[in-house]
Amino acid sequence: MKILLTGGLGFIGSETAIATIEAGHQAVIVDNLYNAKIGVLDRIEKLTGVRPAFYEADVADKKKLGEIFDKERPEAVIHFAGYKAVGESVAKPLMYYRNNLMTTLSLLETMGEYDCHNIVFSSSATVYGTPTHAPLKETDPRGEATNPYGETKIMIERILEDASKADPKLTAVLLRYFNPIGAHPSGLLGEDPRGIPNNLMPYISQVAIGKREYLHVYGSDYPTPDGTGIRDYIHVVDLAEGHVASLKAFNETKGVKIYNLGTGKGTSVLELVKAFEEATGVKIPYRLEDRRPGDVPENYADVEKAKKELGWTARLTIADACRDAYNFQVKNPEGIKD
Ligand code: UD1
């Protein structure tokens, strides 16, 4: 199948590009390089032996996107393109709403014009809001987002539901990621945040190579066994394979299909630190600090639906993810070069 990946040079997009190529699909990448490096394209080629067609373009630019669809005629789209920093979204909400919503609307309109009826959307467990229980099931209601970034994910899920009600030919797969971590085992691709990392694993990796002095552990008084927050950390390679597995949904009934992509297991911040130290042999100094506003005590996925319907299940461990994240950080201390 010819698949267009928006944001296909990003952390999850590039790993998914590899997984789709390895599964025998043809990948076409559109990325505006806002939060990705062009050097990633060479690395995808190095790892797969295939250089995907690449367009440097903003998905919100309908004219340019139309030209790309006209030339490539993709059968399906995997839509990653979007801003994703929670803190920044609180400071710049309009920028987040404009970008994340406009890219999606432009994409859906263009898909309609070019007879493309299959979309996978990069959603997030953040749509569950502040959960009252775990594990979370796809049938659990969407909650209240704690920030504009999360709100854009909720709004885009709704847009896709409405679009599919109006267009019986459309199939939209909403993949709700839990916490993606790790890197490609080669060390060539991984998470490459600009500036100070917001997320836990890239921060730990930067402490490990001495780039940051110590880890700030946000909250040690949560109602969890060791007092630190619990999340469902999933290796990005498993997550990428989840996308490939989800393409199966296009051959079945039309409409919206929702899947959690997680491991089904919760890990606390201190457990992740310990696992990292064991996997790498590097000590991670940390300090216990106040809770971070907007954080929830605990969330992890119920993964039965993806297993049953897509035949997909995460197979890599936290230790694999720690080893791979560290390997990427050691090999790319200043991130991926252009
Ligand atoms: C966050 C976002 C979520 C987004 C996801 C991926 C919030 C509320 N949620 O998830 O919407 O989809 O990132 O980008 O921000 N922690 C520390 N020290 C750090 C960083 C994190 O102790 O330096 C702790 C956090 O308190 C949390 C856990 O580590 O308990 C995971 O944090 P993080 O990696 O930022 O992911 P989430 O907050 O779960």
Side-chain angles (χ1 to χ4, degrees):
M1 189 175 356
K2 191 187 250 196
I3 305 165
L4 187 135
L5 296 95
T6 74
L9 294 186
F11 172 46
I12 303 171
S14 58
E15 207 62 66
T16 303
I18 291 179
T20 52
I21 293 167
E22 284 175 348
H25 299 292
Q26 196 181 341
V28 175
I29 294 176
V30 181
D31 199 305
N32 67 356
L33 303 180
Y34 175 81
N35 201 15
K37 310 266 174 67
I38 187 65
V40 169
L41 194 61
D42 294 336
R43 295 178 179 210
I44 293 172
E45 183 179 8
K46 197 166 172 187
L47 290 166
T48 61
V50 176
R51 191 171 186 86
F54 171 67
Y55 298 88
E56 183 178 341
D58 190 330
V59 179
D61 181 345
K62 260 197 85 179
K63 188 169 170 286
K64 219 163 175 182
L65 192 64
E67 288 164 13
I68 298 167
F69 268 75
D70 198 36
K71 181 148 185 265
E72 297 288 348
R73 305 278 166 169
E75 293 160 80
V77 173
I78 309 183
H79 180 35
F80 298 99
Y83 294 159
K84 61 171 188 177
V86 172
E88 186 184 50
S89 81
V90 176
K92 299 175 181 170
L94 304 185
M95 182 176 116
Y96 269 67
Y97 285 117
R98 171 175 286 279
N99 183 67
N100 292 3
L101 300 180
M102 293 305 278
T103 49
T104 306
L105 294 173
S106 155
L107 183 62
L108 286 170
E109 287 169 358
T110 308
M111 285 172 64
E113 285 159 23
Y114 287 89
D115 225 18
C116 176
H117 306 291
N118 299 313
I119 180 167
V120 175
F121 172 59
S122 187
S123 191
S124 165
T126 198
V127 303
Y128 292 113
T130 305
T132 51
H133 65 276
L136 288 155
K137 267 182 158 34
E138 291 85 346
T139 46
D140 286 329
R142 279 186 289 246
E144 285 282 317
T146 53
N147 54 74
Y149 153 79
E151 189 60 43
T152 66
K153 294 290 177 194
I154 292 175
M155 290 168 93
I156 294 169
E157 285 201 356
R158 291 210 184 99
I159 289 170
L160 287 165
E161 284 171 353
D162 289 342
S164 105
K165 275 183 212 146
D167 175 3
K169 282 192 280 188
L170 188 69
T171 299
V173 180
L174 315 181
L175 298 181
R176 293 177 176 166
Y177 312 152
F178 279 68
N179 288 57
I181 58 167
H184 193 276
S186 63
L188 287 174
L189 293 175
E191 200 168 2
D192 184 15
R194 287 181 202 276
I196 302 172
N198 298 305
N199 297 117
L200 182 58
M201 186 57 114
Y203 206 102
I204 293 178
S205 304
Q206 293 197 3
V207 172
I209 62 158
K211 206 169 164 179
R212 316 253 161 229
E213 199 184 339
Y214 61 89
L215 173 70
H216 307 256
V217 174
Y218 299 135
S220 55
D221 58 351
Y222 283 113
T224 59
D226 66 17
T228 65
I230 290 181
R231 297 289 183 277
D232 184 341
Y233 296 97
I234 172 167
H235 197 299
V236 67
V237 167
D238 277 331
L239 192 71
E241 279 161 13
H243 289 73
V244 175
S246 79
L247 299 173
K248 192 170 168 252
F250 295 147
N251 304 325
E252 291 154 12
T253 52
K254 305 284 164 206
V256 170
K257 298 159 196 218
I258 305 179
Y259 298 100
N260 286 339
L261 295 185
T263 66
K265 287 190 240 22
T267 303
S268 75
V269 175
L270 292 182
E271 282 169 344
L272 191 68
V273 169
K274 190 157 171 277
F276 190 95
E277 291 179 337
E278 281 171 9
T280 64
V282 181
K283 190 109 196 90
I284 303 298
Y286 65 82
R287 288 190 197 162
L288 302 178
E289 297 183 5
D290 289 345
R291 295 180 182 192
R292 185 172 66 175
D295 274 355
V296 302
E298 173 178 58
N299 80 8
Y300 56 93
D302 182 308
V303 292
E304 285 311 306
K305 191 176 176 208
K307 189 172 173 185
K308 196 162 150 241
E309 296 185 14
L310 304 176
W312 171 88
T313 186
R315 56 188 177 83
L316 298 167
T317 63
I318 293 275
D320 294 324
C322 291
R323 185 200 57 226
D324 294 335
Y326 180 60
N327 180 39
F328 174 76
Q329 189 68 63
V330 168
K331 290 189 172 146
N332 307 272
E334 301 306 324
I336 293 172
K337 293 263 183 304
D338 278 331

